[in-house]
Amino acid sequence: DTAVSQTPKYLVTQMGNDKSIKCEQNLGHDTMYWYKQDSKKFLKIMFSYNNKELIINETVPNRFSPKSPDKAHLNLHINSLELGDSAVYFCASSQDSSAGETQYFGPGTRLLVL
Amino acid sequence: AQSVAQPEDQVNVAEGNPLTVKCTYSVSGNPYLFWYVQYPNRGLQFLLKYITGDNLVKGSYGFEAEFNKSQTSFHLKKPSALVSDSALYFCVPDTGRRALTFGSGTRLQVQP
């Protein structure tokens, strides 16, 4: 049983395209996150949803739009892809958004924009 | 504000030897501290965390960490390293922003 799953694992696409990454968690958690890992391995928070409500929206281009159809899913849609969007995107979930809650990460989606 | 420092970009250790990956923290109030590991081309896995209580925290895969308030450290340790422990290790503070703040981590290389 995969706790936090992401699809696809790899995504290679051309500049200007629109793509989506899906995330699902079967842990019954209330809070889900999207992180971006750059080439130097830094992870930065992009978005967080708690019970389908957006609670964190970091400074990311508005080409990135998260959507949470239900508590178990948080998808990331990216419009007009740019070269700089190439990175690994990680989804995570936690029981809730309280301090000290453990976040459980998905396997990542490696996005390459050509 | 809470932040951590991992002073070593890379740690090399021989298989079977004890390993330590260092982390020092700078916090106001009581810190929440996590260790995560990222194996090559894989996602991040939770190892252990310190919230409160016992200073010695035991985690997954035989790892443990000791919260040391006087030295403001939270070093990750394992008594006997395995080649399969080779990975990128992150000491992560919970800054209360409802998201974790990751640095660039420490790469552990265990040589056979």
Side-chain angles (χ1 to χ4, degrees), chain A residues 10 31 33 35 37 40-43 45 48 55-56 58 90 97-108 110, chain B residues 32 34 36 38 40-46 49 51 88 90 94-105 107:
Chain A
Y10 299 96
T31 308
Y33 311 79
Y35 288 84
Q37 185 176 39
K40 294 187 178 179
K41 302 300 183 183
F42 286 97
L43 268 92
I45 183 69
S48 177
I55 57 172
I56 295 177
E58 289 295 296
F90 286 101
S97 58
S98 303
E101 279 298 325
T102 301
Q103 293 184 25
Y104 295 91
F105 286 78
R110 192 172 294 272
Chain B
Y32 296 151
F34 296 78
Y36 279 85
Q38 185 174 17
N41 299 317
R42 286 167 62 181
L44 287 140
Q45 295 183 28
F46 167 72
K49 69 179 177 183
I51 301 295
L88 188 58
F90 295 94
D94 186 329
T95 60
R97 291 178 56 243
R98 297 188 285 187
L100 297 178
T101 303
F102 287 76
S104 58
R107 188 164 299 282

Side-chain angles (χ1 to χ4, degrees), chain A residues 9-50:
Chain A
K9 288 190 176 176
Y10 299 96
L11 188 51
V12 181
T13 188
Q14 299 287 330
M15 268 197 322
N17 284 351
D18 303 339
K19 290 293 178 185
S20 291
I21 308 172
K22 295 186 176 183
C23 179
E24 177 181 1
Q25 54 95 3
N26 63 5
L27 297 167
H29 288 168
D30 286 346
T31 308
M32 295 185 72
Y33 311 79
W34 276 110
Y35 288 84
K36 178 181 179 181
Q37 185 176 39
D38 62 25
S39 57
K40 294 187 178 179
K41 302 300 183 183
F42 286 97
L43 268 92
K44 294 183 180 178
I45 183 69
M46 300 175 69
F47 302 103
S48 177
Y49 273 72
N50 187 61

Side-chain angles (χ1 to χ4, degrees), chain A residues 50-61:
Chain A
N50 187 61
N51 272 321
K52 302 196 300 175
E53 185 178 333
L54 183 66
I55 57 172
I56 295 177
N57 185 357
E58 289 295 296
T59 309
V60 298

